[in-house]
Structure formats: structure tokens, C-alpha cells
Amino acid sequence: MKTLLNLSLAAMILTGGAFLYADDEREEHEHHRSSMVAQPVTPQEKSTVALYTKECGACHMAYQPQFLPKRSWEKTMKMLDNHFGSDATLDPQDHKTIQNYLVSHASKNDQMSDIKGNIALRISETPYFIREHREVSKKMVTQPAVKSFANCNACHTQATNGSYREREVRIPNYAHWEE
Amino acid sequence: MKYLAFAFLFSTSLMAASPEVVQYMNELSKTAKVENSSFNGFDAARGKDIFTSTHTGKQGKPMACTSCHTTNLTNSGKNALTGKVIDPLSPRTNPQRLTSTKDVTKWLKRNFMDVYAREGTAQEKGDVLTYIMKN
């Protein structure tokens, strides 16, 4: 009986491990591909990314444009005077450059309206985001070291580089949350 | 002429700002005079009051410049909504500050809207810049 228990335990650990590994591989593949799209190549692209990082990254992480579809970015850029409660208006030329950058690198998969069917403005309202974060408790996110889901790099240690691999996740004060 | 040159040197040494921002301050000064005939130069003490007093902001909640920038301009601040670190405002600590008129006008517009729910007048903008320069 004891041997049987040990065996089934070992099998569980093995399958669990394989599942986690597979999940990580898939995730890695997806984000590897999407971060390649945003990789600036020409000097002009580099200066556009620098502008985007300076302007939008002054208040929050400069999110990878692939996280929202075109219509979400268009809606966001239309209401910068009331950007989640802040005035985030830009000089007209910079506005145009940043809008073009976001729209041209937006997600091609427009299943990203929020769960009520509105055009999602927050990445955290998209079905993909919600699914990926279903195991994360509210306490982990609202704690002062994180504040909100808007703060990607609080837990995704390589988020600013466009990498969201599971193995790079470190939730502050919840070191062993997955174990 | 000698006196003018001296006055210019004195005023720029007092102002920890780039020539382009000093030029912007001069324009603000002219507008302030048009808007208020008793205007008699910018004042750091008035600027401090603008910077440290609490107002009903854009979101209908109490808000001050210090909510994000703290009361010590030589220290880093933190965006009150996102928690993102804000580099010190003091040009003495952070030489990047007050070097670009484009950046200065952008932030003055945005932050007056956030804290005061309106744009600042030329005098208010000049006062608050004078306060920042002296810190």
C-alpha cells in the first residue's frame, strides 16, 4: 500500500512538473514572438521607442503595445486629458508619433474587449490578462509594494524588457506563493 | 550697459535654469504683467504656497503637488496613483530639471490640472518655478 502511494505521488509530481514546464515553454514562445515585434531596428524606431518610454513611462511602466488591440490604443489616445484621473496630454507632434507607434504594434488579436464587451482601456481588463492572473490573490496586488495590476514590473522582474516568463515572477512578500 | 550686464549675470546665477527656461520665465513675466497690472516679479514664497497647499484636484479628491513630489524637493517622490518613483525636482540635485521649456510647460499644464483642476496663470507658473529653482 505504501509503495503504491509513493508511486502515485511520484507520478503526480512528474506530471505536474511536465505541465508546468510545458506552460512555461508556451508562454516563453508567445512573448518571445511579441517582444521581437517591438524591438526597435532603425534609428527612427529607436527614437520613437525612446519618446514613448519617456512620455508614458514617466508615470507608469511603458507597456508593450502588443497588450492591447488598435481600437483600445485609439480610445486611450483620444482621452489623454482624463487618463485614469490624470492629465496626460502631449504636444501634438509627440501625440501623433506615439499613437502611430502604439497602433502599428498593437495586438492583431482583437478579442480583447473587456468582459462587459466595452473597448478595454486597461490591459488588466482583457480576458487574456484575467485568465493568466486567476491564481493571484487581491492581497498580493493591493499590497503597498505592488499597488495595482498596472505595476507589471513589481512582480514580472523582466517586464520592462518585454519578458513575462513565469520563472521570472517574484511577488513581493510572497516568495513561495506557487510552492 | 555695465549695470545691465551685471543684473543679467546676477539674475541668471540666482536662477538654476537653462537659458531657454530663463527665456520662458521672461515671457511668463510679460504675460503676468498684462494679466495683473500690480504684478511685481515672481515670488518663491507664493510659489511655495502653491506647491504645498492642498486643493480639490481633477478627481474631486484632496491633492497637492507634494502628494507626489513630497515637501523636500531634493528627495525623490512617488506617483501617488502608480507608485512610480519620480526623480527630485530640485535642479541642484537633479541637473536635468528646468532644462527644457517643452518639458516644463507640459508638466505645469498637466499638474495644475491634476491638483487645481484648472491651468495655472502666468504668475502662478512663474512663482512655482521660482520656488523650485531656489530648492
Side-chain angles (χ1 to χ4, degrees), chain A residues 54-55 57-59 81-82 85-91 94 147 151, chain B residues 58-59 79-85 102-103 106-107 109-110 113-114:
Chain A
K54 179 188 175 220
E55 294 300 339
C59 300
D81 59 327
N82 191 8
S86 272
D87 186 303
T89 47
L90 290 159
D91 158 275
D94 292 347
K147 265 182 114 83
N151 208 356
Chain B
K58 190 182 180 69
Q59 300 198 68
N79 184 304
L81 296 171
T82 68
K84 178 127 187 160
V85 172
K102 191 180 163 193
D103 286 348
K106 177 185 76 186
W107 286 113
K109 176 180 180 283
R110 289 178 174 185
M113 288 304 291
D114 282 352

Side-chain angles (χ1 to χ4, degrees), chain A residues 41-124:
Chain A
V41 182
T42 65
Q44 202 199 338
E45 276 172 356
K46 277 185 186 158
S47 85
T48 300
V49 172
L51 180 73
Y52 172 63
T53 309
K54 179 188 175 220
E55 294 300 339
C56 304
C59 300
H60 54 71
M61 200 193 101
Y63 308 114
Q64 284 73 29
Q66 296 83 342
F67 281 133
L68 287 173
K70 185 170 173 274
R71 57 185 181 143
S72 292
W73 288 126
E74 281 168 347
K75 191 174 168 187
T76 299
M77 294 302 286
K78 222 176 261 174
M79 40 192 295
L80 283 184
D81 59 327
N82 191 8
H83 186 64
F84 305 108
S86 272
D87 186 303
T89 47
L90 290 159
D91 158 275
Q93 186 58 49
D94 292 347
H95 188 281
K96 210 171 139 189
T97 308
I98 290 173
Q99 173 146 353
N100 285 343
Y101 168 69
L102 291 171
V103 163
S104 62
H105 292 94
S107 167
K108 303 283 184 282
N109 172 17
D110 195 352
Q111 300 300 309
M112 283 177 159
S113 52
D114 72 12
I115 39 176
K116 291 178 208 134
N118 300 313
I119 299 174
L121 288 179
R122 294 176 194 271
I123 295 165
S124 59

Side-chain angles (χ1 to χ4, degrees), chain A residues 22-40:
Chain A
D23 196 46
D24 206 34
E25 279 295 285
R26 178 181 58 80
E27 208 178 33
E28 210 169 293
H29 179 69
E30 262 177 37
H31 291 298
H32 180 67
R33 194 183 48 199
S34 58
S35 64
M36 286 303 282
V37 181
Q39 207 61 44

Side-chain angles (χ1 to χ4, degrees), chain A residues 31 52 59-65 67-68 73 122-126 128-129 133 136 140-141 145-166 168-172, chain B residues 81-84:
Chain A
H31 291 298
Y52 172 63
C59 300
H60 54 71
M61 200 193 101
Y63 308 114
Q64 284 73 29
F67 281 133
L68 287 173
W73 288 126
R122 294 176 194 271
I123 295 165
S124 59
E125 286 171 345
T126 61
Y128 174 74
F129 184 99
H133 294 83
V136 182
M140 293 174 182
V141 182
V146 179
K147 265 182 114 83
S148 83
F149 270 136
N151 208 356
C152 308
N153 42 346
C155 304
H156 293 276
T157 54
Q158 296 303 312
T160 44
N161 303 324
S163 174
Y164 291 82
R165 292 182 183 108
E166 194 145 347
E168 292 158 357
V169 173
R170 304 276 181 280
I171 301 179
Chain B
L81 296 171
T82 68
K84 178 127 187 160

